[in-house]
Each structure stands twice: as C-alpha cells, then as structure tokens.
Amino acid sequence: MRDLSRDTGLLSLNTATIGWERTIREAVEACEKFGIAAVDPWRHQMHAGGFAENARLIRNAGLEVTGLCRGGFFAAPDGAGRDKAMDDNRRAVDEALELGARCLVLVVGGLADGSRDLAGARRQVVDSIAELAEHARPAGMPLAIEPMHPMYCADRGCVNTLGHALDICDALGEGLGVVIDVYHVWWDPDLETQIARAGRGGRILAYHVCDWRRETRDLLFDRAMMGDGVIELKKIRALVEGAGYDGPCEVEIFSKLDWWKRPVDEIVRTCVERHRSVV
Ligand code: ZN
C-alpha cells in the first residue's frame, strides 16, 4: 500500500468538492497553492465562463485530469428524450478527449419520469452505454460506470453495486471500466470480492473518496470529509491498490450543509491533511 503521509501527487481534486457554484479557476488556483497534481472537473463548471478557457487553465497548470464528471442520465420517457441524452453524452466524450481525461465518468441515471419499470431502466442503461461506446471506443476514451448507492436508484443511478457495474463491463467488452467511490460501495458485503474482480479485468478507472456520516442529514449533499465518518478508508484503499490501481485518490465531497459554506483554502487544506493521514 502506498505511503500518502507526505504526498499530494496522488491526490486529485474533484471540482465539486469546493462547491458547485465555485469556478474552475478557483479549483486550479487551489491545486497550485497546495501542490495538488490532478483534477476531475464537472461539466457545468467547465462551461461556466467557457469550456475552452477553463480547459486552458487546467492545461497551463499542468494538471492531470483523472476524469470528467459526468455523462449518463440515459433514462427518458420517449425516443426524443433518449436521443437528446445520447447527443449530450457524445458531447461529453468529446469534451473528455479535449481535456485528455483518463475517463468519462458515467452516472447512469434512474427511472424515467413517471416510470416504475426498474428492469426496463436497467436494460436501457446497458443499451445506451453500448451505443455510447461505439463513439468513445474508437476515440480511445474509456467510459467509467460509477455504481451508485441504492438510495439513488430512482433518481440518479440504477446500477447499484460494483458487481452490477462489472457485469455490464463484461457484457459490453473493451473500453469500459468502473469508478470505485467509497460513498457508494462501502456498505457492500461483496466489496472485497468485486474489487479483486475489477482489478483482474483491468477495470478500475478511478477511485473516489469522502466519508459517510453516521447520521446522514441529506441524501445528496451531506458527504463528510475523510476521517469524519464511518468508512474504513485505508482498508478499502488497500483493496483497490492490491487490485492493481495506481492512480490518484480523488476527493469528491458534496456538502451543501457544511464544507461548501467554508472558504476554498480551508476545504482544500483539510483535503490535503486528511489525504495524508486517513485516506
Ligand atoms: Zn464519485
């Protein structure tokens, strides 16, 4: 297991961590200030102020791009909606290519509006990823399926375990992998087996960290800073690295209730400290 105690080179800052409304410029400046070598930007932040300009900021800072967040949300009640989602996903692939990202992160989406057909939603996800892969594979952009905690099954992601995501990878073949985000998978009794399986298949494209507050107050916006919750972070990182993953640990914290209210410097300084001590 790698020693992170003096490291910032293996930390990637997911730009949502400093707050949805803050800018890529602020994220890049924080990375430079704290010696962070990588980012994973969100598309809405990339488009605020112009995608090309933000891409230039990232490039000029010499930052590695561990992913682009995000593609996905494939579910739609009709064909027109599905086409629109697919067009947007192809654009996301192109943006990831422009950034030289390691992967495009896919949050696959839940049920279409008005639907209770979960099996149908899951079939649609597989079909949509297969179609998107026809665009991404020849361009060399890996698609990274991020299994979501089951509490998001209806609205954000109906692929809910690492095993489920790997089944889809196996079914669809090359050019696909997974994001292992501790927030989504820490509870899974099959986690150890599935991380090993992901490693054997060369499927681990990114590793996301934060923490799970024992008394979670909001399903989306109450992720905790690493060390402030109940997830066995070092144990999971050991499994992920044991499975062959050698990329950065990406800090991704959605915290409207706490961290996003704080100054960027305080957030990022704490990320660096916790990366060294508890990740
Ligand atoms: Zn994540």
Side-chain angles (χ1 to χ4, degrees):
M1 193 165 159
R2 300 175 300 191
D3 176 15
L4 304 182
S5 61
R6 279 181 295 280
D7 168 83
T8 49
L10 289 173
L11 194 169
S12 174
L13 181 69
N14 184 294
T15 58
T17 300
I18 62 168
W20 282 127
E21 306 303 331
R22 285 178 170 141
T23 64
I24 293 296
R25 179 180 294 277
E26 287 173 285
V28 168
E29 285 173 359
C31 285
E32 289 183 312
K33 183 167 179 181
F34 291 97
I36 293 170
V39 285
D40 178 349
W42 278 70
R43 291 179 71 207
H44 72 276
Q45 289 172 304
M46 287 299 298
H47 284 281
F51 187 94
E53 169 61 10
N54 285 317
R56 192 186 63 79
L57 290 173
I58 291 170
R59 221 173 7 254
N60 287 355
L63 294 167
E64 184 187 353
V65 179
T66 50
L68 176 65
C69 283
R70 59 173 167 58
F73 280 78
F74 296 110
D78 55 33
R82 282 192 287 276
D83 289 349
K84 191 162 166 251
M86 190 54 63
D87 285 346
D88 186 56
N89 272 280
R90 287 195 199 93
R91 269 197 303 280
V93 167
D94 297 342
E95 290 171 8
L97 286 163
E98 191 175 333
L99 283 169
R102 281 185 172 219
C103 60
L104 175 66
V105 175
L106 297 182
V107 175
V108 299
L111 295 166
D113 268 355
S115 171
R116 293 189 178 88
D117 181 9
L118 180 56
R122 287 176 166 154
R123 273 196 305 276
Q124 195 185 321
V125 162
V126 174
D127 292 347
S128 299
I129 295 174
E131 188 178 340
L132 186 61
E134 289 172 17
H135 180 68
R137 196 180 282 125
M141 179 50 61
L143 300 176
I145 303 169
E146 183 163 355
M148 296 273 115
H149 191 285
M151 68 181 173
Y152 300 118
C153 188
D155 64 343
R156 304 185 71 75
C158 60
V159 173
N160 301 107
T161 62
L162 186 52
H164 186 181
L166 290 168
D167 289 345
I168 296 173
C169 293
D170 287 350
L172 299 183
E174 291 302 301
L176 290 160
V178 294
V179 178
I180 297 177
D181 183 327
V182 297
Y183 195 72
H184 296 301
V185 302
W186 70 277
W187 57 273
D188 184 351
D190 208 25
L191 186 60
E192 187 168 345
T193 306
Q194 295 301 330
I195 289 174
R197 175 186 169 198
R200 280 195 304 278
R203 300 285 195 189
I204 307 175
L205 297 176
Y207 179 54
H208 293 180
V209 295
C210 64
D211 215 331
W212 181 281
R213 204 183 292 279
R214 194 172 191 287
E215 308 282 341
T216 289
R217 301 164 294 182
D218 182 285
L219 296 188
L220 186 57
F221 292 116
D222 197 27
R223 291 183 177 214
M225 180 62 66
M226 298 81 73
D228 292 344
V230 297
I231 299 178
E232 291 179 291
L233 289 165
K234 288 197 189 231
K235 182 175 168 185
I236 297 177
R237 181 164 68 86
L239 295 173
V240 168
E241 291 182 5
Y245 179 74
D246 62 359
C249 303
E250 180 179 320
V251 179
E252 184 184 38
I253 299 172
F254 305 145
S255 175
K256 237 180 215 173
L257 302 187
D258 181 357
W259 288 96
W260 289 0
K261 296 176 182 169
R262 306 194 196 195
V264 173
D265 273 12
E266 182 188 348
I267 300 168
V268 177
R269 184 184 301 110
T270 310
C271 289
V272 169
E273 288 166 5
R274 301 295 178 86
H275 169 77
R276 289 173 170 164
S277 58
V278 301
V279 169

